[in-house]
Amino acid sequence: MSCLETIQAYGLRSIGIGERLLPREDFTLCQQFTLIGSGLIWNLYFAILALGFGFFLSQAMGLAKASPLPWLRKPAEWYILVFRGSPLFIQFFLAYFIFLEFKQAGILPWLTAAQAGALVVLILNTTAYSAEMFYGALQSVPSGDVEAANAYGMTGWTRFRRVIWPTMLRLAWPAYTNEAIFLFHATTLVFFSSFPAWQQRGDALYYANYFADKTFNPFIPYPILAGYFIVFTLLLVGLFGLMNRWLNRHRPGVVRRIRYRPQLIR
Amino acid sequence: MGLWWSFLTVLALLAITAPTALTFGFGGAVAARSDIALLRWLGKAYIAVVRGVPDIAFFLFFVIALDQGLEWTRHQITCPGWTEPIWQGNDFRVCDAAKLPLSSSPQWMHEVYGFFLAVVTFAIVFGAFAANVLYGAMWSVPDSQVEAAHAFGMTKRRAFWRILVPQMWIYALPGLSNLWMILIKATPLLFLLGVEDIVYWARELGGTKTEKFTSYPHGDWRLWYFLGLLIFYLAFTKLSEFALARLTRQLSRGRPIKAALA
């Protein structure tokens, strides 16, 4: 099989299009690049959707934590404590078994599938982590800004929308960039917790692991995986950097480059 | 019994990995600010590469890579007359004398070896993170401190050990405590490395008897085991947070730099 044919056969394998059987012997470099790249579709899917939902939910959660109303603040504090204090890996396991129970009871049976259930867990997790960041940013909005808004006669919603909220976003953005990177890296955990890779449609790490198991040679698939991840991480950093520039567009010369500071698993 | 043993495994891993990773980190940080260009590049590359790639990929990679690396080295030493290729299609084949652990050794040797690989893997990955923290901390120590040491006639080496190293810890502490939290939360990944840790047992004990049947005799117990694990980790992180806060208070006693630590 030529490389082009391999790409046609396996390029979209992870979403079930193309050849059904995975290669079993005589693995070529091309096959490894194609399949691992194809698995990356799932990593991007999880990362983009979880970030998309999490962005809005986490701001709501961060505001809830800063709320003076105890019935709003307490649940938010507990939620953040639980999701930040426990390993994501355990959360995946626990959630999967909860979803299994649901399935037994006939409620929302599709949640046991990775593309829905794991996405829910990732959204909940990133919401907790980013909520803490937005909360911290909210606390450090300069009081002078708020006072200036007061002096202009702004109150309530207008003051929040035009002064507090943009400042909060701007302050939280560098930390939020890092959160986005962790989340992207955390998507590799999905198929290694309980969620099954139905018909061997897995993510990039799933295929890398498949090749490492079959060839018993980790020195090829994992570096390929690492290369893909570094490229996409840099892309992510670039995109968030553009957003950072836009958020700080009124402060010429203040725009600092966001430091690329990836951290570990949660 | 295995369940309680596995809790000990996790705690032992934490107890051994933390100092090992710190040593790796110290080495990395010293290398990254070395005067010798090659060493500096090595240190920086170590920090950058490990931090840029998903950690799980590293965990999966290093366990096999270390195992094969060790066996390959032993193979070169013990069986010089071996002519067959080592990678034969789907197989990694070394001579029997180079197997690690030897196939004749008892079961506990295999387990200890697996645990050892896990510790080294964790230490390599977390060492890079610790290196980054310590590297930053070394730059945070005011220059005047080191300059004063030079003025007193201390050599470079002595100024490093007597002035820089004792002073950098307080700057490194926030980063290191963060790292400790992450390390705690990374321990469930031991399960992926093939060590029988608590995740393994939670799956086994809750799962085996019910897995095959569609009509469950009782609810799936794994749910409760994992809930227990979640609470265990929550309590553990909370406890550490408390202890680290105390340590920070104690170390920063009598220092005028409190504000910088916030």
Side-chain angles (χ1 to χ4, degrees):
Chain A
M1 224 168 17
S2 77
C3 193
L4 203 65
E5 282 168 345
T6 308
I7 292 176
Q8 277 172 352
Y10 291 117
L12 295 172
R13 173 65 178 75
S14 65
I15 49 174
I17 300 171
E19 199 73 29
R20 191 154 151 63
L21 289 175
L22 292 183
R24 290 186 180 279
E25 52 214 353
D26 301 328
F27 303 96
T28 60
L29 262 185
C30 179
Q31 282 173 342
Q32 307 206 7
F33 267 106
T34 313
L35 259 178
I36 294 173
S38 141
L40 213 59
I41 295 174
W42 281 118
N43 293 105
L44 290 175
Y45 161 88
F46 285 126
I48 291 170
L49 282 185
L51 275 178
F53 284 109
F55 180 67
F56 297 103
L57 286 177
S58 58
Q59 290 179 44
M61 191 64 71
L63 286 178
K65 191 179 173 182
S67 159
L69 306 170
W71 57 268
L72 207 59
R73 189 180 67 235
K74 285 288 166 198
E77 278 175 359
W78 276 98
Y79 172 84
I80 293 176
L81 174 75
V82 168
F83 276 91
R84 290 183 76 224
S86 59
L88 178 64
F89 200 50
I90 301 283
Q91 288 167 21
F92 272 130
F93 273 110
L94 190 63
Y96 180 70
F97 294 124
I98 290 175
F99 293 151
L100 267 189
E101 294 280 302
F102 277 7
K103 198 175 184 177
Q104 297 292 318
I107 322 164
L108 307 172
W110 40 267
L111 273 177
T112 48
Q115 63 264 37
L119 184 63
V120 170
V121 180
L122 281 171
I123 290 175
L124 293 178
N125 189 277
T126 186
T127 298
Y129 276 88
S130 344
E132 185 67 22
M133 288 165 191
F134 286 125
Y135 169 76
L138 199 64
Q139 298 299 307
S140 41
V141 170
S143 57
D145 287 15
V146 184
E147 281 158 18
N150 285 340
Y152 274 110
M154 289 185 190
T155 47
W157 174 242
T158 321
R159 187 180 64 179
F160 175 75
R161 191 171 57 84
R162 307 191 66 157
V163 178
I164 299 177
W165 184 64
T167 313
M168 176 188 89
L169 269 191
R170 201 175 66 230
L171 290 176
W173 202 255
Y176 191 66
T177 307
N178 281 325
E179 162 62 21
I181 298 167
F182 310 155
L183 184 77
F184 181 44
H185 287 188
T187 55
T188 48
L189 272 176
V190 171
F191 292 103
F192 281 86
S193 54
S194 281
F195 288 98
W198 186 60
Q199 289 184 349
Q200 294 185 310
R201 299 176 190 175
D203 74 332
L205 187 64
Y206 176 85
Y207 288 122
N209 189 47
Y210 172 85
F211 283 118
D213 277 353
K214 290 284 178 213
T215 59
F216 217 67
N217 178 3
F219 296 98
I220 295 169
Y222 288 123
I224 294 176
L225 177 81
Y228 274 129
F229 264 93
I230 289 174
V231 168
F232 275 94
T233 305
L234 289 179
L235 208 69
L236 195 75
V237 172
L239 280 177
F240 273 71
L242 281 183
M243 185 67 188
N244 192 41
R245 280 253 296 277
W246 189 75
L247 283 171
N248 286 293
R249 66 197 180 284
H250 60 293
R251 313 165 74 203
V254 185
V255 178
R256 288 164 297 134
R257 274 192 60 202
I258 293 180
R259 276 185 62 205
Y260 170 42
R261 273 200 311 209
Q263 287 221 354
L264 261 234
I265 334 109
R266 342 12 205 328
Chain B
M1 209 35 226
L3 181 65
W4 303 116
W5 191 244
S6 64
F7 272 98
L8 278 185
T9 312
V10 169
L11 293 180
L13 177 95
L14 279 172
I16 300 173
T17 309
T20 324
L22 210 56
T23 318
F24 270 66
F26 193 76
V30 170
R33 68 198 299 280
S34 152
D35 289 333
I36 306 161
L38 185 67
L39 215 56
R40 194 166 60 230
W41 291 334
L42 270 180
K44 287 194 169 160
Y46 168 54
I47 297 176
V49 168
V50 176
R51 288 175 2 134
V53 176
D55 15 71
I56 320 120
F58 260 104
F59 288 137
L60 292 175
F61 170 73
F62 269 125
V63 169
I64 313 182
L66 279 175
D67 187 37
Q68 291 193 355
L70 286 175
E71 287 194 347
W72 186 83
T73 323
R74 274 170 61 101
H75 176 82
Q76 298 297 328
I77 297 167
T78 49
C79 323
W82 190 271
T83 47
E84 290 176 51
I86 292 181
W87 276 284
Q88 298 179 352
N90 309 346
D91 241 345
F92 178 80
R93 191 163 296 161
V94 291
C95 64
D96 284 339
K99 279 268 189 320
L100 260 180
L102 294 172
S103 46
S104 56
S105 55
Q107 175 63 23
W108 68 267
M109 280 285 283
H110 286 266
E111 278 169 20
V112 166
Y113 179 67
F115 183 76
F116 164 77
L117 281 186
V119 167
V120 176
T121 309
F122 267 71
I124 291 174
V125 174
F126 281 89
F129 287 81
N132 190 49
V133 171
L134 293 181
Y135 182 70
M138 285 179 188
W139 284 116
S140 311
V141 174
D143 283 341
S144 51
Q145 295 282 341
V146 182
E147 281 162 14
H150 288 312
F152 274 107
M154 285 192 185
T155 57
K156 230 178 162 180
R157 171 182 302 251
R158 183 170 266 207
F160 176 76
W161 285 111
R162 290 258 181 102
I163 307 295
L164 193 64
V165 173
Q167 289 198 25
M168 77 178 185
W169 294 110
I170 188 64
Y171 297 99
L173 198 64
L176 288 182
S177 35
N178 194 18
L179 204 60
W180 169 252
M181 297 298 192
I182 300 172
L183 180 63
I184 292 176
K185 285 186 265 167
T187 48
L189 296 175
L190 264 183
F191 161 71
L192 291 182
L193 310 187
V195 176
E196 294 181 359
D197 77 328
I198 42 189
V199 177
Y200 170 84
W201 281 106
R203 270 165 67 106
E204 285 296 300
L205 291 177
T208 37
K209 299 197 177 52
T210 52
E211 198 114 69
K212 288 231 160 63
F213 307 102
T214 39
S215 56
Y216 287 87
H218 55 68
D220 194 337
W221 283 6
R222 283 177 291 184
L223 177 63
W224 305 110
Y225 279 107
F226 276 106
L227 198 62
L229 282 190
L230 192 88
I231 291 168
F232 166 73
Y233 276 109
L234 261 182
F236 201 28
T237 43
K238 205 68 201 156
L239 199 73
S240 311
E241 209 169 80
F242 183 70
L244 287 168
R246 271 192 76 128
L247 186 68
T248 312
R249 254 212 323 278
Q250 209 143 64
L251 279 182
S252 48
R253 194 178 283 164
R255 281 183 164 268
I257 50 167
K258 240 172 218 158
L261 295 170

